[in-house]
Amino acid sequence: MKWIASAAFGMEGMTGRDLKHLGMQNVRVMDVGGAMFEGDFADAFRASLWLRTCDRILLVMAQFEARTYEELFQGVKAVEWEKLLPADAAFPIRAKCVKSQLMSPSDVQKIAKRAMVERMKSAYGADWFSETGALFQVDVSIRGDLVTVAVDASGEPLSKRGYRTWNGEAPLRETLAAALVLQSGWHPWQPLYDPCCGTGTILIEAAFIALNRAPGLTRKFAMEAWPCAPHEAMEAIRAEARKKFEEGSRRALNVAGSDINPEAIELAQRHVKQAGLAGRIALSVKDMRDVTPGTDVPADEAGVFIANPPYGERLDNARAAHAVARQLGALQKRCPGWKLCAFSADMGFEKEYGRRATRRRRYYNGRIECEYRIFE
């Protein structure tokens, strides 16, 4: 079977690399949208459990060209839906159209739904479907007249790890936080500190990486309710992931953070506990101007600062965002040997920081285009 591991802009390569590390076959990074791979249900479940920068795992049912609604109807109807969907399956449709002849998502939804119903009527000899059973969310994506029909095996996005049930101001998506950690060049044996940690997402994702904790370990996926899925094999894969986390938990961990907002730190402490990391991540209420070597971070050991500081769109005040950039620049000067990585939409960040970044990567935080700047 063919699968798509969908990923946000800038994370396609990381998702493809992780798929290869998991041993997936015929991995191909797509120009946009993620990476494709081949495997069975167990492979897709393992990918769902372990991929850190992936949004969803989708089972590809068909790919064909369609420039008319009749071509779309016939293409969807030709799929052998009865091999995957039971008679009581719930099969809602999502549609997306980009630079194609068919540009109405609502019409694409209606046509695809009608085509599926016609196919199911013929396969099951029924005139009506209750759709009270397991969820098979169908995605119809049309890009440049190429139609990809897929079924979402994830359910909730994979960014929903299960530990963040409270949100502070401008929360950072878990998949994006993991990408920032992975791109920072931080090694798990090094100290890591977030001087404006908010509700703790970057710190938790870093700890997951260091302790070999599968990001999807404690959540459920839509495919687990599918009658055709190998449930015993999937539970064995989850049990193996639990064992790896138990073994990884014995490792030393030097991950800490602070924030000037006491409410944010209170939420971070709750999230750390829900992530199964109570006592492993040090958190404190502190102004980043007061973070000092020897007190908050090791003075004799080089580490990495990773920060998602408030910036113009979040503060609604560019002057305050510039002040934060200057404070981060001063922080790196106080801590010789430490690398600092900052994720911000502030285009004047480097000028205020006091130097140019060594490396840059572009990502989107929601709809906001941001740069991840790494200062060696």
Side-chain angles (χ1 to χ4, degrees):
M1 292 181 282
K2 291 183 179 180
W3 304 83
I4 294 174
S6 68
F9 174 84
M11 301 186 208
E12 300 93 344
M14 283 184 280
T15 297
R17 180 198 64 198
D18 290 345
L19 284 168
K20 291 177 182 177
H21 287 171
L22 289 171
M24 301 303 167
Q25 300 298 309
N26 297 325
V27 176
R28 179 175 64 85
V29 176
M30 301 158 61
D31 292 336
V32 290
M36 297 190 74
F37 67 100
E38 294 179 6
D40 57 18
F41 283 117
D43 291 323
F45 182 77
R46 183 175 286 105
S48 300
L49 206 61
W50 282 100
L51 290 179
R52 301 187 186 278
T53 58
C54 172
D55 291 326
R56 295 181 183 278
I57 299 295
L58 304 162
L59 172 59
V60 179
M61 302 299 293
Q63 285 188 306
F64 56 88
E65 288 191 353
R67 294 176 178 83
T68 67
Y69 286 114
E70 178 62 23
E71 289 175 336
L72 174 66
F73 178 87
Q74 294 300 335
V76 174
K77 186 180 178 183
V79 176
E80 296 178 317
W81 293 105
E82 64 276 9
K83 289 188 176 181
L84 179 69
L85 276 63
D88 65 345
F91 51 101
I93 312 286
R94 283 191 301 239
K96 182 170 67 174
C97 309
V98 180
K99 297 179 181 178
S100 57
Q101 294 293 314
L102 306 179
M103 284 297 290
S104 171
S106 60
D107 288 339
V108 169
Q109 285 176 307
K110 292 173 187 175
I111 297 297
K113 185 74 172 185
R114 184 160 61 86
M116 287 187 67
V117 169
E118 289 300 313
R119 176 78 191 205
M120 298 276 281
K121 281 182 179 180
S122 176
Y124 288 110
D127 292 326
W128 180 79
F129 298 95
S130 64
E131 297 196 42
T132 56
L135 175 65
F136 293 79
Q137 175 68 61
V138 178
D139 275 22
V140 180
S141 174
I142 309 178
R143 181 179 291 273
D145 299 328
L146 177 65
V147 181
T148 301
V149 182
V151 180
D152 184 354
S154 302
E156 287 282 339
L158 297 183
S159 60
K160 305 290 186 182
R161 319 288 208 213
Y163 64 78
R164 198 169 75 180
T165 52
W166 300 275
N167 283 327
E169 184 181 356
L172 190 69
R173 199 168 67 251
E174 293 89 330
T175 45
L176 179 54
L180 299 184
V181 175
L182 292 169
Q183 283 293 332
S184 71
W186 171 70
H187 299 287
W189 60 84
Q190 292 179 291
L192 183 146
Y193 193 95
D194 184 348
C196 38
C197 68
T199 58
T201 309
I202 289 175
L203 300 174
I204 292 170
E205 292 298 323
F208 280 179
I209 292 168
L211 303 178
N212 203 21
R213 200 270 206 188
L217 184 62
T218 59
R219 58 157 286 173
K220 292 293 184 180
F221 307 100
M223 67 181 300
E224 292 183 79
W226 296 356
C228 55
H231 299 96
E232 288 186 10
M234 292 191 299
E235 185 50 44
I237 293 169
R238 192 186 293 275
E240 179 187 33
R242 288 195 195 100
K243 184 177 180 181
K244 287 184 177 180
F245 180 43
E246 289 172 6
E247 294 171 350
S249 294
R250 302 177 192 139
R251 300 172 185 166
L253 182 67
N254 191 348
V255 172
S258 57
D259 198 281
I260 197 171
N261 185 352
E263 293 181 359
I265 291 298
E266 182 181 349
L267 290 179
Q269 290 169 337
R270 294 184 192 181
H271 293 159
V272 167
K273 183 178 180 180
Q274 289 194 161
L277 300 169
R280 303 303 304 271
I281 298 175
L283 296 165
S284 61
V285 178
K286 188 181 287 283
D287 190 313
M288 73 172 72
R289 289 171 291 190
D290 298 326
V291 175
T292 55
T295 302
D296 304 293
V297 300
D300 57 349
E301 190 176 358
V304 179
F305 292 112
I306 301 180
N308 173 36
Y311 38 84
E313 285 80 355
R314 288 163 57 186
L315 286 176
D316 200 24
N317 186 335
R319 189 179 304 170
H322 292 340
V324 171
R326 289 193 296 272
Q327 291 165 18
L328 287 170
L331 173 61
Q332 189 178 29
K333 288 180 181 178
R334 290 198 302 273
C335 303
W338 277 64
K339 180 191 297 185
L340 192 142
C341 310
F343 182 66
S344 174
D346 179 9
M347 293 299 104
F349 187 91
E350 291 181 19
K351 179 180 177 182
E352 301 299 329
Y353 190 90
R355 54 177 288 208
R356 293 186 64 80
T358 312
R359 288 187 287 133
R360 300 176 192 83
R361 290 295 298 266
R362 187 157 55 100
Y363 299 108
Y364 281 84
N365 188 8
R367 295 181 179 273
I368 303 173
E369 183 178 345
C370 300
E371 271 199 344
Y372 189 41
R373 300 174 177 89
I374 298 174
F375 300 88
E376 298 288 354

